[in-house]
Amino acid sequence: MADEKVEKYELAELNLNLKQQQESLETPSSKLIRKKGEEHMFLLSNLKAQHPLAEHVQQAKVITHLELSKQPIQAAQLDTLQRRLPYLKSIISINLSFTKLSDQLGGPALLTQLLGKKSRIKTLHLNDNNLGLYSFKAICDLLPLNTTLTVLNLHNNNGFSQHPKIGQQLGQALKSNKTLKHLSVTLYDAIMVNNKRGVTYTGNPSLMFNTGFGHGNSPIESLQLSGATITPRSMEVFRKLKAPIFKSLTSLNLSHCYIGPVGTFYLADAISKVKFTTLINLNLSNNRIGCDGAISVGSLLKHNYTITSINVQSNQIQNKGVIGLCKSLEQISKRKISSPIRSIDLSFNPIEVSNKTANPKMGCSYIQIITNYCIVY
């Protein structure tokens, strides 16, 4: 008995230490979000009572955004949420990120309610959860029928992101949807297969591009595919499609996709061939594009008249790549139509900035802009 008490005491002390460590690592904004989530869940729990307090009812009427992120949601809480949502008509935005939502917990049933025909939800964050194939199928089945959703965040849900052909299913759903403008999703292009050496190509991003954006009438303005390796084979699809996606897209985030210099070349070539592109922001950070990739980015800027911001952080770009990029910027400065480019983020690249690097022939004004955005090693 004494040993059991000691073990329970040690376990309680360990849990307390872990909780204190988590609290110390939290940022002020993260604490605020978690606190807001606890308040909203408390409000929902009180509304479930037979005789809810008047102040709780009044508070529920004015809430438009339901914040439930950064706290593991339980089955009872999920039941409360599903029961009260039809009566909370003011809510148009829900954040369920980092809640450990899964198929087993009731994800498909909740998504059917959130994305159904009678749904009023415009913004839905489901990132960093454990959603599986059943939840993903529910989303793909409901997106063509939904007429209100404008923002959908499915980033980092490994329960479905590694399965083949999910890109094609999502593309088919997007093809029929007319309201979604901002999409964030992790689609693995190559996966490890048990009992086999190396990786297997799934082509999920390319399948999504082919089916979802090949028709050229997509309403999507912002696309984030960060977090999963995308092979050059998929990036080449951009060229084959003649890039109809860039006639509506204003922001593209491919950070941490490791597309490499070849993938960057295909992407730059695809954007360059579009006469009336709408792209404004391009994020290619953490992609190992190297010096050749930086030169491809410079070539893209020479043929583009809309991009204002490019992020190429942490890409192993050295002086050779910066020189090639600056030569392109120098040519841009001489053309009749001025360039809209305002920032090029080259931070965390092994660039040596010195008087020799700032050669007048490369355009000193552009060198000054670039050095303001780089970390010198």
Side-chain angles (χ1 to χ4, degrees), residues 36-293:
K36 182 64 70 175
E38 292 171 356
E39 291 175 358
H40 283 179
M41 185 52 71
F42 176 78
L43 174 64
L44 289 174
S45 300
N46 279 276
L47 285 175
K48 187 183 179 183
Q50 292 182 354
H51 304 287
L53 297 176
E55 60 264 27
H56 292 154
V57 176
Q58 189 63 32
Q59 185 182 357
K61 287 182 179 179
V62 297
I63 291 178
T64 58
H65 173 72
L66 190 62
E67 182 65 59
L68 300 174
S69 66
K70 297 187 182 298
Q71 55 175 338
I73 194 166
Q74 305 297 327
Q77 294 173 322
L78 194 65
D79 180 65
T80 300
L81 176 62
Q82 289 180 271
R83 288 177 180 273
R84 299 316 305 170
L85 269 179
Y87 304 102
L88 301 174
K89 297 182 180 180
S90 61
I91 293 177
I92 59 173
S93 173
I94 297 180
N95 189 347
L96 286 164
S97 59
F98 295 97
T99 57
K100 296 186 178 179
L101 190 64
S102 64
D103 289 357
Q104 293 76 16
L105 189 60
L110 177 63
L111 291 171
T112 301
Q113 185 177 5
L114 294 177
L115 300 175
K117 285 185 177 180
K118 297 181 180 180
S119 173
R120 299 174 298 275
I121 305 300
K122 294 183 178 180
T123 302
L124 182 59
H125 293 276
L126 298 167
N127 55 292
D128 297 276
N129 282 307
N130 302 319
L131 296 178
L133 289 175
Y134 290 105
S135 296
F136 181 75
K137 186 179 184 302
I139 293 170
C140 292
D141 290 342
L142 293 167
L143 274 180
L145 307 175
N146 187 280
T147 57
T148 57
L149 194 68
T150 58
V151 178
L152 178 61
N153 189 345
L154 297 172
H155 178 70
N156 198 18
N157 275 280
N158 292 334
F160 65 80
S161 58
Q162 296 186 12
H163 289 266
K165 295 188 178 180
I166 62 164
Q168 185 175 5
Q169 296 176 33
L170 183 58
Q172 289 289 354
L174 295 174
K175 188 176 180 180
S176 304
N177 184 278
K178 305 298 180 185
T179 59
L180 192 64
K181 293 185 177 180
H182 308 281
L183 174 65
S184 177
V185 62
T186 304
L187 296 175
Y188 281 87
D189 202 10
I191 58 173
M192 296 294 296
V193 180
N194 294 332
N195 302 322
K196 289 186 179 180
R197 293 182 179 180
V199 297
T200 296
Y201 174 75
T202 61
N204 281 321
S206 59
L207 289 171
M208 186 186 70
F209 296 144
N210 270 320
T211 54
F213 303 103
H215 58 289
N217 296 319
S218 173
I220 300 232
E221 297 176 2
S222 174
L223 180 62
Q224 179 177 338
L225 297 174
S226 63
T229 301
I230 299 180
T231 62
R233 184 174 170 183
S234 284
M235 295 305 298
E236 193 176 8
V237 174
F238 277 109
R239 291 205 303 175
K240 292 181 179 179
L241 290 175
K242 297 183 179 178
I245 185 176
F246 296 115
K247 293 182 180 179
S248 62
L249 204 66
T250 59
S251 178
L252 178 62
N253 188 339
L254 293 174
S255 61
H256 295 86
C257 288
Y258 304 105
I259 61 176
V262 178
T264 306
F265 171 77
Y266 288 145
L267 177 65
D269 188 56
I271 302 174
S272 301
K273 289 181 178 178
V274 181
K275 290 184 179 179
F276 302 103
T277 179
T278 55
L279 194 64
I280 297 174
N281 300 311
L282 180 61
N283 189 342
L284 297 176
S285 59
N286 293 275
N287 273 295
R288 300 178 184 174
I289 69 174
C291 295
D292 292 338

Side-chain angles (χ1 to χ4, degrees), residues 306-355:
T306 60
I307 295 176
T308 62
S309 174
I310 288 185
N311 187 342
V312 284
Q313 291 183 11
S314 304
N315 270 300
Q316 302 172 359
I317 299 172
Q318 299 180 353
N319 283 27
K320 179 183 175 182
V322 176
I323 291 171
L325 180 60
C326 290
K327 286 181 178 179
S328 297
L329 293 173
E330 183 186 14
Q331 294 178 21
I332 292 171
S333 65
K334 295 178 180 179
R335 69 188 185 191
K336 294 181 180 179
I337 302 175
S338 61
S339 172
I341 189 72
R342 293 293 176 267
S343 68
I344 301 176
D345 194 337
L346 278 160
S347 57
F348 303 103
N349 283 295
I351 303 169
E352 297 178 3
V353 181
S354 62
N355 293 330

